[in-house]
Amino acid sequence: MSARTASPNSSWRIPPIGLFIVFIVVGLTFLGLVILFSASQSMHDDPTVLLRKQLIWLGLATVAGGIAMLVNLEALRDYAYLLALGSMLLLGLVLIPGIGVEVNGARRWMDFGFMRLQVSEIGKLGLLFAMSHYLASHRRDLGHLLKGYVYPCCLLGMFCGLIILEPDFGTAFLCGAVGGCMLFLAGVHLKYLIPTALVALTGFSVAVYLDPVRLQRITSFLDVEGNRSDSAYQLWQGILAFGAGGIQGVGLGAGRQQMSFLPEAHTDFIFAIVGEELGFVFTAGVVVLFMTLFFIGILQLKRAPNLYQYLLVMGALLFITFQALINIGVVTGCLPTKGMSLPFISYGGSNLVFMFVLTGIILNGFRSWELPALRKQRDL
């Protein structure tokens, strides 16, 4: 049996270090369900509507994460480009009126009646597998201009370009940041990456400048107090929520911001509700949990048997932690306002499923990397 088709460990056992990841994800998800129930009290006559929907998505996410943890990652390499092509096709289809659903000026979703899918989440997964497979397959060519730089940058640029057309500037920036880190970690020369990063940031800035909505978010961010009744209203209310919560918080269900004062309190700005109701201790705890997840993953990467699995797990870690960093930065006023979910906590099915799949990929790596060398040889 070849290395590409070798069966992973048939045991379902998760190594001890992987259990820390499980505990972190379960803890963050449980906190999200509790805060979601509190934050949605004023949104419907029945305050359990969103909670019940999120529980359904949680069931689907758990199944998807379990499959991702048990699947043979090496065998998936044969389908990496197919996954990338399929995800790019979906990213193109969602831009077509009548196929893609437009919400608040952005066309990012496909409506299947019983569920609404945010296509960019599939795009992230396609990008992750395609970049990992390509960079690992052309490891010896990474010093070459075309194979080691132009081709992978074009692959990354196609994903980011399709996402930015939705428009979804934040997710495009996230994909670009993760893809750039993967290029650097794979060994692409900095003499190529640094000028490319500067050009990409310049182009991104020009795109923001030419978009009145995004430009207004930037200018409002620079003067939050002066625009607190207008374009910076959401950010101002989020800051007030943290101030009201203080160290210990006002108590679960006792916050005021979820009473229709804070827009998107159950999605993008749910971290502010955590700050108001549970206080600094819990908000700091959330940050510590994301940091712990990242550093546990980093410490385990030295066990990766090849560049493909190294980049795959590293990319999964970066997608989770970078998204958390951006959301927390936005809600606390450190970054301009951008609609991006807080992993495992915010309401939203597509992102929850994607985050559980990423977690499954990380656990998959940990589980297979724990195999004794003799066992691996027998499987081969």
Side-chain angles (χ1 to χ4, degrees):
M1 188 180 295
S2 66
R4 182 68 64 86
T5 60
S7 299
N9 187 5
S10 59
S11 172
W12 288 52
R13 185 184 67 87
I14 301 176
I17 194 67
L19 291 177
F20 284 102
I21 300 291
V22 174
F23 291 149
I24 290 172
V25 170
V26 170
L28 291 171
T29 304
F30 180 75
L31 174 64
L33 294 174
V34 172
I35 295 298
L36 174 62
F37 178 69
S38 178
S40 59
Q41 291 183 63
S42 64
M43 297 184 60
H44 300 276
D45 295 333
D46 182 0
T48 66
V49 169
L50 294 183
L51 178 61
R52 284 187 277 113
K53 289 182 179 180
Q54 190 74 345
L55 285 171
I56 294 173
W57 278 110
L58 178 58
L60 296 174
T62 303
V63 172
I67 293 173
M69 186 185 74
L70 297 173
V71 73
N72 188 341
L73 294 178
E74 289 294 334
L76 285 179
R77 294 186 66 175
D78 294 328
Y79 305 97
Y81 293 144
L82 184 62
L83 177 59
L85 182 62
S87 57
M88 282 193 286
L89 179 62
L90 289 176
L91 288 171
L93 287 175
V94 79
L95 300 175
I96 302 175
I99 298 179
V101 176
E102 184 174 344
V103 179
N104 296 328
R107 198 179 300 277
R108 307 172 187 172
W109 297 268
M110 285 187 175
D111 195 343
F112 296 97
F114 62 95
M115 63 175 289
R116 182 174 289 182
L117 178 67
Q118 188 169 351
V119 178
S120 59
E121 303 299 339
I122 300 177
K124 294 175 188 176
L125 197 60
L127 173 64
L128 176 62
F129 274 94
M131 289 287 290
S132 299
H133 176 55
Y134 180 88
L135 293 172
S137 300
H138 296 81
R139 184 173 185 177
R140 295 185 179 182
D141 300 321
L142 294 180
H144 298 168
L145 179 62
L146 283 178
K147 291 185 178 180
Y149 167 68
V150 175
Y151 293 164
C153 282
C154 287
L155 178 64
L156 177 59
M158 285 189 290
F159 277 97
C160 294
L162 287 170
I163 293 173
I164 211 168
L165 289 175
E166 293 180 355
D168 190 348
F169 285 60
T171 300
F173 180 85
L174 174 63
C175 290
V178 173
C181 289
M182 293 175 69
L183 289 169
F184 172 73
L185 293 171
V188 177
H189 288 174
L190 285 176
K191 65 181 180 181
Y192 299 140
L193 291 180
I194 292 178
T196 302
L198 294 176
V199 171
L201 287 174
T202 301
F204 187 82
S205 301
V206 171
V208 171
Y209 179 78
L210 296 176
D211 190 307
V213 176
R214 273 75 189 176
L215 181 61
Q216 188 179 40
R217 290 179 180 177
I218 301 294
T219 56
S220 300
F221 166 75
L222 297 175
D223 185 11
V224 176
E225 189 170 359
N227 295 280
R228 61 184 179 181
S229 298
D230 188 19
S231 51
Y233 173 80
Q234 186 182 34
L235 178 55
W236 180 254
Q237 292 298 323
I239 294 173
L240 291 180
F242 286 111
I247 300 296
Q248 297 181 340
V250 299
L252 280 173
R256 298 181 59 189
Q257 289 302 326
Q258 76 266 25
M259 307 303 291
S260 301
F261 288 101
L262 177 61
E264 307 298 334
H266 62 303
T267 55
D268 305 337
F269 271 69
I270 199 169
F271 191 60
I273 304 301
V274 176
E276 182 184 26
E277 299 195 350
L278 299 179
F280 174 78
V281 174
F282 272 80
T283 55
V286 170
V287 175
V288 170
L289 287 178
F290 278 114
M291 291 177 60
T292 303
L293 187 152
F294 179 73
F295 285 114
I296 287 176
I298 290 294
L299 293 175
Q300 289 297 302
L301 284 173
K302 61 185 179 182
R303 296 176 176 269
N306 53 49
L307 182 61
Y308 164 72
Q309 292 194 30
Y310 173 89
L311 291 175
L312 197 61
V313 174
M314 186 65 196
L317 282 169
L318 291 176
F319 265 121
I320 293 174
T321 51
F322 278 7
Q323 183 167 324
L325 181 65
I326 292 173
N327 178 274
I328 293 172
V330 166
V331 177
T332 56
C334 299
L335 295 173
T337 303
K338 168 66 191 83
M340 186 171 291
S341 302
L342 182 60
F344 309 111
I345 298 179
S346 292
Y347 174 76
S350 300
N351 188 253
L352 184 65
V353 172
F354 175 64
M355 288 298 154
F356 269 64
V357 169
L358 293 181
T359 304
I361 291 172
I362 296 169
L363 293 175
N364 193 325
F366 290 1
R367 193 173 60 89
S368 61
W369 301 347
E370 288 286 328
L371 277 173
L374 291 177
R375 173 66 181 277
K376 291 178 180 179
Q377 290 177 0
R378 285 199 300 268
D379 286 342
L380 294 176

